[in-house]
């Protein structure tokens, strides 16, 4: 990777500039004084935000859009036959995939805090960003979800601090240059790429080894301990055990989503935190953010208290969509059995009459490889509704269907993937419209309906809320 590729460049063009991962990079490079242009295929709120920065955006991707650019960036989602990408590669101008540019940008900061982990990256990155922002740190940020306090998924600041969500998928995080590497947990995921848990642990080991200043990790997670134990660099641990450097005591669920606990640092009390996102997993996320903020320096505990006290979750992380006719509707990004389990356990503690899990399996490989684990996790809910599997980048070479999961869950309703398969209900619920019809007919006042998945199942939550209101 050529870390000096930005030198001498004036005009950078973004193919797919409306993507959530492109927007923060556009913010930062715009602040650094580069002339930016971009293109995308769909109007979005993010595209509006890009235009408000004074960046020219073309709707529709065509070869002529790249004219005048001396560096071109594209998202991984851009297909090889995209005319704009074909023109870019034929132009002789340097072309970067978004993750490569993110790595180059991360190297420019003296305090790049890169937050990794199989679960909780977006929430923890958002928590840390909110803490530092509350503490008047003029940080830059790259987040995989929208954070209300900064108005989006990124921020461009003037300080040397950069908070960056760091994704392990296809080893993307190995392109980053972390000064502080944070590991929240390590679990079996993306097995279509990694193959084995041992390979995943090995990748996290490489990521942590790249840290120049500090490794902050979950001292209660055996896979994470294995990943970092042979690395001879300064380390800080967090967790629920008092063997960690940062840990929580006197955990109390106050009411609704509010939890209170006291934070201990090497046996000394720092103070009390009031958290408004549910679940033990979010206490761990908060402890990781506190440890990273404390490591960053010049951040008083009062800023941690205020920032976390005001935090209500990042977009699509137990995000309350609406409350209609006594039914609470929530959306969550959980797409791995561990995440589904943690989210549903938290939901079941909130005192609703019934908790409905509306789950969209994501990728055929993950569904096939973790089928029993998904069934066990989803069975925590009172009621389970499954949509079709969203294959995303994959073809169904696994011969896996929603019914294979649905048959393992008592009382589950699922929706067939093709016209040849009969549903397990008297009606054929084949799409989101029919899912919403089913929920409208069966969910009752006092219930919680939570949509789960990293695809487009959030549309069900929003559509259901509108339909219920009618």
């Amino acid at each position: 990777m050529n870390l000096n590729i930005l030198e001498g460049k004036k005009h950078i063009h973004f193919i797919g500039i409306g993507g959530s991962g492109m927007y923060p990079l556009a913010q930062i490079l715009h602040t650094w004084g580069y002339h930016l242009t971009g293109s995308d295929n769909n109007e979005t709120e993010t595209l509006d935000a890009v235009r408000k920065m004074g960046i020219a955006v073309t709707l529709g991707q065509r070869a002529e859009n790249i004219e005048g650019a001396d560096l071109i960036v594209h998202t991984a989602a851009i297909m090889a036959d995209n005319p704009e990408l074909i023109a870019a590669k034929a132009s002789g101008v340097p072309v970067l995939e978004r993750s490569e540019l993110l790595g180059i940008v991360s190297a420019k900061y003296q305090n790049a805090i890169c937050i990794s982990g199989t679960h909780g990256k977006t929430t923890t990155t958002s928590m840390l960003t909110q803490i530092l922002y509350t503490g008047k740190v003029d940080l830059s940020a790259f987040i995989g979800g929208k954070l209300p306090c900064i108005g989006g998924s990124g921020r461009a600041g003037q300080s040397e601090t950069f908070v960056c969500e760091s994704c392990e998928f296809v080893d993307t995080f190995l392109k980053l240059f972390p000064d502080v590497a944070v590991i929240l947990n390590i679990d079996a995921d993306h097995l279509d790429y990694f193959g084995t848990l041992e390979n995943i642990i090995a990748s996290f080991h490489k990521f942590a080894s790249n840290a120049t200043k500090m490794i902050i990790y979950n001292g209660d997670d055996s896979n994470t301990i294995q990943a970092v134990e042979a690395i001879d660099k300064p380390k800080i641990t967090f967790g629920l055990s008092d063997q960690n450097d940062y840990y929580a005591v006197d955990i109390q669920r106050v009411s609704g989503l509010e939890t209170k606990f006291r934070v201990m640092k090497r046996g000394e009390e720092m103070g009390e935190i009031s958290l408004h996102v549910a679940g033990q997993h979010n206490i761990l996320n908060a402890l990781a953010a506190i440890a990273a903020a404390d490591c960053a320096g010049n951040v008083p505990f009062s800023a941690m208290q205020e920032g976390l006290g005001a935090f209500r979750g990042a977009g699509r992380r137990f995000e309350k969509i609406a409350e209609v006719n006594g039914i609470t509707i929530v959306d969550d990004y959980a797409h791995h059995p561990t995440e589904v389990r943690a989210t549903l356990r938290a939901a079941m503690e909130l005192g609703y009459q019934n908790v409905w899990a509306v789950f969209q399996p994501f990728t055929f490989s993950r569904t096939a490889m973790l089928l029993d684990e998904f069934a066990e996790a989803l069975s925590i809910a009172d009621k389970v509704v499954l949509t079709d599997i969203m294959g995303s980048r994959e073809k169904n070479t696994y011969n896996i269907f929603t019914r294979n999961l649905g048959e393992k869950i008592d009382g589950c309703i699922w929706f067939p993937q093709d016209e040849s398969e009969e549903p397990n209900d008297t009606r054929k619920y084949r799409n989101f419209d029919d899912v919403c019809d089913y929920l409208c007919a069966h969910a009752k006042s006092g219930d919680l309906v939570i949509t789960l998945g990293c695809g487009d199942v959030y549309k069900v939550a929003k559509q259901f809320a509108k339909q219920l209101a009618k």
Side-chain angles (χ1 to χ4, degrees):
M1 187 186 301
N2 180 8
L3 293 180
N4 298 317
I5 198 168
L6 292 174
E7 292 182 10
K9 302 297 187 295
K10 295 180 180 179
H11 177 184
I12 303 175
H13 181 77
F14 284 68
I15 306 175
I17 197 168
S20 61
M22 295 284 259
Y23 174 60
L25 291 170
Q27 286 178 294
I28 290 168
L29 292 171
H30 179 71
T31 302
W32 287 355
Y34 291 96
H35 170 59
L36 305 185
T37 57
S39 66
D40 218 307
N41 284 325
N42 300 297
E43 289 286 0
T44 60
E45 290 180 4
T46 303
L47 218 56
D48 289 339
V50 170
R51 288 194 181 102
K52 286 176 182 176
M53 288 191 288
I55 297 171
V57 177
T58 303
L59 205 61
Q61 291 171 341
R62 297 177 290 275
E64 58 266 28
N65 292 343
I66 69 168
E67 287 182 12
D70 48 20
L71 178 65
I72 299 166
V73 185
H74 66 94
T75 68
I78 300 296
M79 304 300 287
D81 60 355
N82 182 287
E84 201 164 318
L85 182 59
I86 291 171
K89 290 183 174 179
S91 69
V93 171
V95 178
L96 295 175
E97 195 271 316
R98 178 203 59 82
S99 62
E100 295 173 314
L101 178 60
L102 179 59
I104 291 164
V105 167
S106 72
K108 303 294 183 184
Y109 290 90
Q110 296 300 310
N111 186 30
I113 306 171
C114 297
I115 298 176
S116 73
T118 308
H119 319 294
K121 293 183 290 292
T122 299
T123 296
T124 306
T125 307
S126 299
M127 284 177 168
L128 178 57
T129 298
Q130 185 135 356
I131 287 171
L132 297 179
Y133 185 74
T134 302
K136 309 301 181 186
V137 177
D138 191 13
L139 78 157
S140 299
F142 179 96
I143 309 173
K146 292 182 179 179
L147 179 62
C149 78
I150 62 170
S153 59
R155 184 177 191 275
Q158 297 297 321
S159 76
E160 287 293 335
T161 298
F162 178 45
V163 177
C164 179
E165 180 172 338
S166 310
C167 183
E168 75 279 11
F169 177 60
V170 298
D171 281 327
T172 298
F173 64 172
L174 298 185
K175 297 174 184 176
L176 299 172
F177 291 83
D179 295 295
V180 178
V182 180
I183 304 179
L184 303 171
N185 44 64
I186 300 175
D187 204 348
D189 198 12
H190 303 302
L191 293 174
D192 54 321
Y193 172 76
F194 287 108
T196 66
L197 176 60
E198 288 69 29
N199 289 339
I200 299 171
I201 292 171
S203 280
F204 275 93
H205 173 83
K206 292 176 185 176
F207 169 74
S209 298
N210 289 336
T212 62
K213 295 178 181 176
M214 182 72 68
I215 300 168
I216 300 174
Y217 69 98
N218 185 340
D220 294 339
D221 183 68
S222 59
N223 292 334
T224 303
I225 293 169
Q226 183 181 337
V228 304
E229 60 186 353
I231 303 173
D232 185 19
K233 291 187 178 182
K235 299 171 190 171
I236 288 173
T237 60
F238 66 89
L240 299 181
S241 163
D242 61 9
Q243 300 302 304
N244 292 292
D245 295 308
Y246 295 81
Y247 57 97
V249 297
D250 294 340
I251 300 170
Q252 305 170 47
R253 191 168 71 81
V254 180
S255 62
L257 297 178
E258 185 179 6
T259 302
K260 288 188 177 181
F261 59 92
R262 292 188 294 120
V263 180
M264 306 296 289
K265 177 183 177 181
R266 302 185 184 100
E268 299 290 329
E269 183 173 347
M270 295 182 75
E272 186 178 72
I273 293 292
S274 179
L275 201 59
H276 296 270
V277 285
Q280 180 176 289
H281 58 294
N282 278 319
I283 296 174
L284 288 169
N285 292 338
L287 288 169
I290 289 167
D294 203 34
C295 179
N298 300 318
V299 182
F301 189 74
S302 59
M304 302 179 198
Q305 288 175 309
E306 185 182 346
L308 289 172
F311 182 73
R312 295 297 187 275
R316 299 215 61 210
R317 272 67 181 179
F318 215 92
E319 180 182 4
K320 185 174 179 179
I321 302 300
E323 186 171 340
V324 185
N325 299 338
I327 299 172
T328 301
I329 304 164
V330 167
D331 177 57
D332 195 273
Y333 196 71
H335 58 283
H336 183 279
T338 300
E339 296 164 352
V340 171
R341 187 180 301 112
T343 299
L344 290 179
R345 280 178 177 167
M348 293 293 285
E349 293 176 357
L350 298 179
Y352 290 95
Q353 292 292 327
N354 288 293
V355 172
W356 290 74
V358 182
F359 180 61
Q360 180 187 50
F362 187 77
T363 72
F364 302 111
S365 60
R366 183 186 281 116
T367 307
M369 292 175 179
L370 301 174
L371 192 69
D372 290 339
E373 291 89 341
F374 273 122
E376 180 185 352
L378 287 163
S379 295
I380 293 169
D382 299 301
K383 310 281 186 180
V384 181
V385 178
L386 303 178
T387 76
D388 273 350
I389 298 170
M390 178 179 254
S392 184
R393 57 189 177 270
E394 297 180 343
K395 293 183 178 179
N396 192 8
T397 57
Y398 297 84
N399 195 34
I400 186 79
F401 298 94
T402 296
R403 61 177 166 77
N404 301 127
L405 178 56
E407 287 168 350
K408 291 177 174 286
I409 303 168
D410 289 344
C412 179
I413 297 294
W414 68 87
F415 305 100
Q417 291 197 293
D418 60 59
E419 293 296 321
S420 66
E421 294 181 359
E422 288 300 315
N424 70 329
D425 198 24
T426 54
R427 289 187 56 194
K428 294 184 177 181
Y429 296 98
R430 299 199 180 278
N431 53 44
F432 287 173
D433 290 341
D434 289 329
V435 171
C436 290
D437 287 345
Y438 184 86
L439 292 171
C440 283
H442 294 84
K444 307 291 185 186
S445 178
D447 288 358
L448 170 67
V449 174
I450 179 166
T451 52
L452 298 156
C454 66
D456 62 351
V457 72
Y458 65 90
K459 294 175 182 176
V460 171
K462 294 181 178 180
Q463 184 177 332
F464 174 49
K466 289 179 181 178
Q467 199 165 321
L468 203 57
K470 294 178 181 177

